[in-house]
Amino acid sequence: MTKNGATQSKQDKIWEALDRFRIEIPSWGFANTGTRFGKFVQHAAATSIEEKFADAGEVNRLTGASPTVALHVLWDVPNGTADVEKIRALEKQHGVKSGSINPNLFQSQEYKFGSIANPSAEVRKVALGHLLESVEIGRALGTRDLSIWVSDGSNYPGTQSISRRIGWMEEVLGAMHAATSEGQRLLIEYKPFEPAFYHTDIADWGMALHLAQKVGPRAKVLVDTGHHYPGTNIEQIVAWLLYVDALGGFHFNDRKYADDDLTLGSIDPYQVFRIFHEILSAPAAATEGIAYMIDQSHNLKGKMEAMVQSVVTAQELFARAAMIDREALTVLQDECRLIEAEELFRDSFWTDVRPMVRAWREARGLPADPLQQLRDSGYVDRIARERAQRNRSAVSSYA
Amino acid sequence: MTKNGATQSKQDKIWEALDRFRIEIPSWGFANTGTRFGKFVQHAAATSIEEKFADAGEVNRLTGASPTVALHVLWDVPNGTADVEKIRALEKQHGVKSGSINPNLFQSQEYKFGSIANPSAEVRKVALGHLLESVEIGRALGTRDLSIWVSDGSNYPGTQSISRRIGWMEEVLGAMHAATSEGQRLLIEYKPFEPAFYHTDIADWGMALHLAQKVGPRAKVLVDTGHHYPGTNIEQIVAWLLYVDALGGFHFNDRKYADDDLTLGSIDPYQVFRIFHEILSAPAAATEGIAYMIDQSHNLKGKMEAMVQSVVTAQELFARAAMIDREALTVLQDECRLIEAEELFRDSFWTDVRPMVRAWREARGLPADPLQQLRDSGYVDRIARERAQRNRSAVSSYA
Amino acid sequence: MTKNGATQSKQDKIWEALDRFRIEIPSWGFANTGTRFGKFVQHAAATSIEEKFADAGEVNRLTGASPTVALHVLWDVPNGTADVEKIRALEKQHGVKSGSINPNLFQSQEYKFGSIANPSAEVRKVALGHLLESVEIGRALGTRDLSIWVSDGSNYPGTQSISRRIGWMEEVLGAMHAATSEGQRLLIEYKPFEPAFYHTDIADWGMALHLAQKVGPRAKVLVDTGHHYPGTNIEQIVAWLLYVDALGGFHFNDRKYADDDLTLGSIDPYQVFRIFHEILSAPAAATEGIAYMIDQSHNLKGKMEAMVQSVVTAQELFARAAMIDREALTVLQDECRLIEAEELFRDSFWTDVRPMVRAWREARGLPADPLQQLRDSGYVDRIARERAQRNRSAVSSYA
Amino acid sequence: MTKNGATQSKQDKIWEALDRFRIEIPSWGFANTGTRFGKFVQHAAATSIEEKFADAGEVNRLTGASPTVALHVLWDVPNGTADVEKIRALEKQHGVKSGSINPNLFQSQEYKFGSIANPSAEVRKVALGHLLESVEIGRALGTRDLSIWVSDGSNYPGTQSISRRIGWMEEVLGAMHAATSEGQRLLIEYKPFEPAFYHTDIADWGMALHLAQKVGPRAKVLVDTGHHYPGTNIEQIVAWLLYVDALGGFHFNDRKYADDDLTLGSIDPYQVFRIFHEILSAPAAATEGIAYMIDQSHNLKGKMEAMVQSVVTAQELFARAAMIDREALTVLQDECRLIEAEELFRDSFWTDVRPMVRAWREARGLPADPLQQLRDSGYVDRIARERAQRNRSAVSSYA
């Protein structure tokens, strides 16, 4: 193939990849958040489900890659299925659909010692009730995924029975799975620590996988890139989950220390590239259902700007990974020609895909530079003015 | 020496150690706290400075080892020196004195991008103003220590100049030091991450030590046992700080992962024992000014119970470390008789000191079992009844 | 129950626990070892299988708790089943039996890019051959366990296909499993890194469990306490493996940073106690087959002394865990009475079991203080004299 | 400025940066190395000082960026100053000069319990003797830097006195410093663990800095990028060392877990970029003396290929960092415009500098693609043939 031919081919790969890459954005990513030490309130933050849909719609208009918005049951759908009609209207109005449904098993006072792993049968029943309601909401909205994050655990050795809590989780999640319909999926997330600091009931992918396999075929594992011990090879876990056909999706964010919830690719972009490579190396059947989702808590960056920046970064890193010549790579891997394999692999990482991504945007009728377009549009200034008063009240009630 | 003689000697060492061991308790340890995911409200939690002093007084009555209470300027002394008279009255009423003064450089909205390391000279001035007020409060209350935790940092590479921020911190802390009087000390704390997740301006003991040595002789380093990277040998840092005569004190708590803020000795009691050993191995001159302080965020354990439990645990681990025959140990260390040295060292760790500590308590007119005595006294039930309404409102305003 | 009754009961629990607790010692624990930076040669180190059996027999005579010795195929059984007769004779001579059989998949030059996960079918065949020979040896010696540590992995992103290597491992381990007889077990070990530094093919318990469940019912997971990421809650993994009936055994050692291979309980004794608690909390059926094994690389401590010290430490920590009143604990756990549960739990940890263990030793006709008895016996001096020349040659060939 | 103008300017920055960037290569990087689990012998590995100089000369011919080679006293200069004449001849023959001198304080049997921190005054004297001889060698060869890595430490709590060992190190390093001449420098390296696993005497930059400042003005700190706890912000340490004018140089390598000694930039290239940014942000006076050195243990990659690859990667990452518009960045940092600052910062990281670096190579008369040129030259094949026999013997003596 001529050099031009090869270049053409790279562009084809990138365009094809971008055409199918979609990443969901979380409704809570537009609201004010903070650390346990405080919250820095932004005037442009969304204060209602309406504003969240408006913001999500704007991000999708700018990027063309985020047509769904993850909903948080407690904060976005407080009245359960009674809210469905309102949400459908918002979907139409803003051109984005509801995405994954996120139950909340950590905030209510009764979950002090756990939700689905609580020693109290009564509390577990409350938790199951909330999960079943979430299944209902998902069905009513016609969405596919239910993302289950269980923050349960204990803070001190000896204070809870680790093994009995496994059984309780199996029961509750089994009952939830039984309530799902064809087309619904249960994504089980894992996290090693925080807010529980001695043991977390679903601490790693092995535990999440066991539960998913135990409760039924509609259950898969959800990988949050920030939920690992220091040093963990996340792309290897992704490869294993793909191998056993149990990878449900991702919560993307970045971290340097713990669950730092920084924006995607901001600390270790090479790692994101490697994760995408594992996915693109797997058989299509194992990967087509993967839910890519952003889940960050960027409490210093502007909400809208951070979200657009994250989507763009995800697209660029996905495009880089899409360029890898995996056939040639396989030959080099099989022959253990390490340096050649590594150089071929990272040649794609070092290639500046931005002009090609820009060309794709223009070809698809999208803004060439979404972040710049957001700035030029005055959107953030406008919502900051409109929402300032509501957000200011939030500050005072906080402090 | 006879075996009885040796036993006697162990008891002497323990009693002498307990007679001089004092550990400060934090006012905020009696108030409701939480993680970024929520707060589980306790009815018995203190809701005012009066209640905090009452609780601290009770802990001291039970343990005889916590005669001072750390104050948080923003929460406990909101009116500055105008509050001093009230606090003096509380000191008398409850039999505990004010301890270290803790400025707050993290909560105000203007500290979004830092306080004493903020690029804005104006914000740094505000921060300095708060620090100077804290010095005034300390002087007015007659306390020795000002504990400075600087949460400043940045979340994303390239977004701040690490080195220029060093200079700004030197300036502000230098100005604060200049305002102190004879008898006051400035304790500079370090922490590797959280709430800043890319770089924290005072991230390790080396940075804290540089600042302490730069700003003046009244500045020392404050070691929070939860503020280290995984694996860090904390007792070695303690040994170095003692060696250079810069150890100001401790914030004690325990952790398994990050800054988990669990109760002292609950995860790795052997580490606390080793820290105490380093202190007890140093020349008296380098150690007599060490401020032992508890700083935990035990949001599931009862506040009063957790505090009593922590003081008792600290006493027992200090007593264990006090028993080590350091002269014999030095000989074994010098001759590199590893196993003998190790066995001698941990013989003290494995010795059950609880009966000896109990005997000391009785001899000093203290309850033999402080935790049991707290339960028997009905104190927690009473304050839970009295404070329930106030705490319940806190829940609703939170949720 | 009277206080005396309770004390009696504690002693009963401890004696019963000690009567059944056995921990295997590794033949390689008596030989000279080192770090990658060098090896400090000990004159008393064993230089042959005969000397290893002699040393192991001596440890068992002193402790009564280590009746088996783990063998390393490459180093101890270089001639395969042809060595069996000699080993049987050594077993009789020294009063210890052969324990687990340990194939070696990391040392041969052909394993440069992996053994059972090597892209080369030829190399995988070599590896399988060695594994099958190990099965033969185990059968011939009448031992139960084959411990499989696979150090395979890669050092650089992109240089190997993580997922294809999973398939290769399944094939080879499947073939090995097929060759085992009733009564043999295949224990699959995991390790996050070292000697591979980008990805290790069997990196965590989830991967080991998948392989064990895939290859057949005689395969179980082997937990090496040093093979985890920083912070990992090992006792939780133990609880999960027990829950799914897949815990095969342990390689015990301690660590502060990475796979430091320090002696058991030397850094975090509370963790070992918690691991034993999980085991003692599980149904007897799930725990009776657990193989407790020491696997350390104590290159500074004397080999014999370190081994005796480790066995004694294991016994004492097991005895502590055996004392826990698990019925009472369950009640407190169910009622979420955290501090009471924690205090009950660690009351056993803080109890000085050494006098009770000593009494047990004497009642069983064993030396009251094995470490002291070893010193008094002159055994180490004698072997040091006898083996000095052989070890000295080892030094010179090394340097 | 026009767009062309800006492009021109980027190229100018890169060329200027490449013209002054030099990175030293270690003699031991050409020899066979391994992990503690074994060594995979390469036929092309250097087996003598002559071969090391030949290989280093070849790397410099290919890259034009590595004109000096670090020497290891024990392995390369075993006869002390008596070897100087031979080395001078090799320098001339191969066109590379001797670089830093590396004493060895870890391999000799007498250093079992430490070298300069050993409790034995006699052993410390031996260690000092070796250090003084190294100073002599450096002076005789006319090199500037002496790189001191002290692997001393202890493996078990209580077995050594951490604080007394500080004093011993001060004494020995002080005596070494006193023996240096104008123009010589003492670079003190730190490392948190390995081969010592409980405490390492010089564990972090704070300890190294104290020693450097204590012993004299010619002592600086040496940063090995693999010698940090998980998560450590290395570029921040670099910024602090520059701030206090104590940064002596670097040992570059990469890691995912511990001191993995992988090739530079292979795991986290963004981190290397950030380190270079801190250096390029500092005043020229603080940075001109920085010694950039490679120190890796690439035991699977070909030695020559890995070294060329590392030098090229270092050049490219340095070029990327050189492109940053630091004036514009400072404005954005001061105004806390996070996303704009971050985007400006990483725009340089994402720019594909390879064509510009290639152009620079051609303009300087160097091979456009050093790695390809190495392959085309047949150099590695030739040395593999010539050295095969010698390396094969090394294998057999090892196994």
Side-chain angles (χ1 to χ4, degrees), chain A residues 113 118-120 155-164 166-170 192 198-211 213-214 229-233 235-237 239-240 243-244 270 274 277-278 281 329-339 341-342 345, chain C residues 113 118-120 155-164 166-170 192 198-211 213-214 229-233 235-237 239-240 243-244 270 274 277-278 281 329-339 341-342 345:
Chain A
F113 302 114
N118 196 305
S120 156
N155 275 351
Y156 298 100
T159 59
Q160 286 292 295
S161 163
I162 294 171
S163 58
R164 287 195 301 144
I166 301 172
W168 294 326
M169 291 193 294
E170 288 180 349
Y198 164 61
H199 105 277
T200 294
D201 285 293
I202 310 179
D204 63 28
W205 77 278
M207 300 174 195
L209 178 62
H210 168 87
L211 290 170
Q213 291 177 333
K214 179 87 181 181
Y229 294 107
T232 305
N233 186 321
E235 57 269 30
Q236 183 180 12
I237 292 173
W240 276 79
Y243 190 88
V244 299
Y270 194 31
R274 299 194 305 258
H277 166 66
E278 289 303 325
S281 302
L329 184 63
T330 295
V331 173
L332 297 173
Q333 289 175 338
D334 278 355
E335 298 179 2
C336 295
R337 291 155 66 187
L338 306 194
I339 291 183
E342 185 185 28
F345 184 72
Chain C
F113 301 113
N118 196 304
S120 155
N155 275 351
Y156 298 100
T159 59
Q160 285 293 293
S161 164
I162 294 171
S163 57
R164 286 194 302 145
I166 301 172
W168 295 325
M169 291 193 293
E170 288 180 350
Y198 163 61
H199 106 276
T200 294
D201 285 293
I202 310 179
D204 63 27
W205 77 278
M207 300 174 193
L209 178 62
H210 168 86
L211 290 170
Q213 290 177 335
K214 179 86 180 184
Y229 294 107
T232 304
N233 186 321
E235 57 269 30
Q236 184 180 11
I237 292 173
W240 275 79
Y243 190 88
V244 300
Y270 194 31
R274 298 193 306 258
H277 167 66
E278 289 304 326
S281 301
L329 185 63
T330 296
V331 173
L332 296 172
Q333 289 175 338
D334 278 356
E335 299 179 1
C336 296
R337 292 156 65 187
L338 307 193
I339 291 184
E342 185 185 29
F345 184 71

Side-chain angles (χ1 to χ4, degrees), chain B residues 158-161 164 167 170 198 200 204-205 207 210 229-230 233 235-236 240 243-244 329-330 333-334 338, chain D residues 158-161 164 167 170 198 200 204-205 207 210 229-230 233 235-236 240 243-244 329-330 333-334 338:
Chain B
T159 59
Q160 285 292 296
S161 163
R164 286 194 301 145
E170 289 180 350
Y198 163 62
T200 295
D204 64 27
W205 77 277
M207 300 173 194
H210 167 87
Y229 294 106
N233 187 321
E235 57 269 30
Q236 183 181 11
W240 276 79
Y243 190 88
V244 299
L329 184 63
T330 296
Q333 290 174 337
D334 279 355
L338 305 194
Chain D
T159 59
Q160 285 293 296
S161 163
R164 285 194 301 145
E170 289 179 349
Y198 163 61
T200 294
D204 64 28
W205 77 278
M207 299 173 195
H210 168 86
Y229 294 106
N233 187 320
E235 58 268 31
Q236 184 180 11
W240 275 79
Y243 190 89
V244 299
L329 185 62
T330 295
Q333 290 175 338
D334 279 356
L338 305 194

Side-chain angles (χ1 to χ4, degrees), chain A residues 124-201:
Chain A
R124 296 199 300 274
K125 203 173 154 188
V126 171
L128 176 57
H130 182 69
L131 293 175
L132 294 179
E133 190 188 10
S134 302
V135 172
E136 279 306 311
I137 292 169
R139 191 153 37 219
L141 282 169
T143 69
R144 183 185 59 176
D145 292 332
L146 296 141
S147 298
I148 314 296
W149 173 48
V150 176
S151 67
D152 290 28
S154 67
N155 275 351
Y156 298 100
T159 59
Q160 286 292 295
S161 163
I162 294 171
S163 58
R164 287 195 301 144
R165 292 169 71 106
I166 301 172
W168 294 326
M169 291 193 294
E170 288 180 349
E171 280 174 33
V172 176
L173 293 177
M176 182 189 181
H177 189 277
T180 56
S181 308
E182 183 70 31
Q184 285 192 300
R185 302 195 311 175
L186 208 158
L187 307 186
I188 302 174
E189 196 168 349
Y190 58 91
K191 183 175 186 181
F193 64 93
E194 197 212 20
F197 291 116
Y198 164 61
H199 105 277
T200 294
D201 285 293

Side-chain angles (χ1 to χ4, degrees), chain C residues 118-339:
Chain C
N118 196 304
S120 155
E122 207 174 331
V123 175
R124 295 199 300 274
K125 204 173 153 189
V126 171
L128 176 58
H130 181 69
L131 292 174
L132 294 179
E133 190 189 11
S134 302
V135 172
E136 279 305 312
I137 293 170
R139 192 153 34 219
L141 282 170
T143 68
R144 183 186 59 176
D145 292 332
L146 296 141
S147 298
I148 314 296
W149 174 48
V150 176
S151 67
D152 291 29
S154 67
N155 275 351
Y156 298 100
T159 59
Q160 285 293 293
S161 164
I162 294 171
S163 57
R164 286 194 302 145
R165 293 170 71 106
I166 301 172
W168 295 325
M169 291 193 293
E170 288 180 350
E171 280 174 33
V172 176
L173 293 177
M176 181 190 183
H177 188 276
T180 55
S181 308
E182 183 69 31
Q184 285 192 300
R185 300 195 312 174
L186 208 159
L187 307 186
I188 302 175
E189 197 168 348
Y190 58 91
K191 183 175 186 182
F193 64 93
E194 197 210 21
F197 291 116
Y198 163 61
H199 106 276
T200 294
D201 285 293
I202 310 179
D204 63 27
W205 77 278
M207 300 174 193
L209 178 62
H210 168 86
L211 290 170
Q213 290 177 335
K214 179 86 180 184
V215 302
R218 292 176 191 149
K220 302 281 178 186
V221 176
L222 177 58
V223 176
D224 183 306
T225 49
H227 292 188
H228 299 87
Y229 294 107
T232 304
N233 186 321
I234 300 175
E235 57 269 30
Q236 184 180 11
I237 292 173
V238 170
W240 275 79
L241 286 170
L242 287 167
Y243 190 88
V244 300
D245 195 20
L247 179 61
F250 290 91
H251 274 181
F252 275 110
N253 51 63
D254 212 338
R255 54 78 73 92
K256 187 161 174 39
Y257 307 101
D259 184 29
D260 307 338
D261 269 334
L262 301 179
T263 53
L264 187 160
S266 59
I267 297 296
D268 189 355
Y270 194 31
Q271 183 182 68
V272 183
F273 171 82
R274 298 193 306 258
I275 290 172
F276 285 146
H277 167 66
E278 289 304 326
I279 292 167
L280 292 162
S281 301
T287 64
E288 57 196 16
I290 296 173
Y292 300 103
M293 302 179 273
I294 290 173
D295 184 13
Q296 303 164 163
S297 181
H298 35 80
N299 58 329
L300 297 184
K301 287 181 175 176
K303 300 288 171 186
M304 283 294 296
E305 297 90 330
M307 202 61 86
V308 170
Q309 188 193 33
S310 297
V311 174
V312 167
T313 302
Q315 289 177 303
E316 290 174 2
L317 288 166
F318 196 77
R320 280 188 171 84
M323 276 194 305
I324 298 172
D325 182 343
R326 261 166 279 272
E327 278 182 42
L329 185 63
T330 296
V331 173
L332 296 172
Q333 289 175 338
D334 278 356
E335 299 179 1
C336 296
R337 292 156 65 187
L338 307 193
I339 291 184

Side-chain angles (χ1 to χ4, degrees), chain A residues 217-365:
Chain A
R218 293 176 190 149
K220 303 280 177 187
V221 176
L222 177 59
V223 176
D224 183 306
T225 48
H227 292 187
H228 298 87
Y229 294 107
T232 305
N233 186 321
I234 299 174
E235 57 269 30
Q236 183 180 12
I237 292 173
V238 169
W240 276 79
L241 286 171
L242 287 166
Y243 190 88
V244 299
D245 195 21
L247 179 61
F250 290 91
H251 274 181
F252 276 110
N253 51 62
D254 212 338
R255 54 76 75 92
K256 186 160 174 38
Y257 307 100
D259 184 29
D260 307 338
D261 270 334
L262 301 179
T263 53
L264 188 161
S266 59
I267 298 296
D268 189 354
Y270 194 31
Q271 183 182 66
V272 183
F273 170 82
R274 299 194 305 258
I275 289 172
F276 285 145
H277 166 66
E278 289 303 325
I279 293 167
L280 291 162
S281 302
T287 64
E288 57 195 15
I290 295 173
Y292 301 102
M293 301 180 272
I294 290 173
D295 185 13
Q296 303 164 164
S297 181
H298 35 81
N299 59 328
L300 298 184
K301 287 181 175 177
K303 300 288 171 185
M304 283 294 297
E305 297 90 330
M307 202 61 87
V308 170
Q309 187 193 33
S310 298
V311 174
V312 168
T313 302
Q315 290 177 302
E316 290 175 3
L317 288 166
F318 195 77
R320 282 188 170 83
M323 276 193 307
I324 298 171
D325 182 343
R326 261 165 281 272
E327 278 182 43
L329 184 63
T330 295
V331 173
L332 297 173
Q333 289 175 338
D334 278 355
E335 298 179 2
C336 295
R337 291 155 66 187
L338 306 194
I339 291 183
E340 288 162 274
E342 185 185 28
E343 290 296 335
L344 182 149
F345 184 72
R346 64 185 188 183
D347 172 57
S348 293
F349 183 70
W350 288 129
T351 300
D352 193 343
V353 295
R354 293 174 301 176
M356 286 183 274
V357 176
R358 184 185 189 99
W360 172 83
R361 292 191 198 285
E362 288 171 335
R364 296 295 176 263

Side-chain angles (χ1 to χ4, degrees), chain C residues 18 57-66 308 311-312 315-316 354-377:
Chain C
L18 292 174
E58 185 68 15
V59 172
N60 190 41
R61 257 188 300 283
L62 292 165
T63 64
S66 52
V308 170
V311 174
V312 167
Q315 289 177 303
E316 290 174 2
R354 294 174 300 176
M356 286 183 275
V357 177
R358 185 185 189 99
W360 172 83
R361 292 191 198 285
E362 288 172 334
R364 296 294 177 264
L366 294 162
D369 182 341
L371 204 47
Q372 187 57 48
Q373 173 67 19
L374 174 65
R375 277 190 210 106
D376 296 345
S377 72

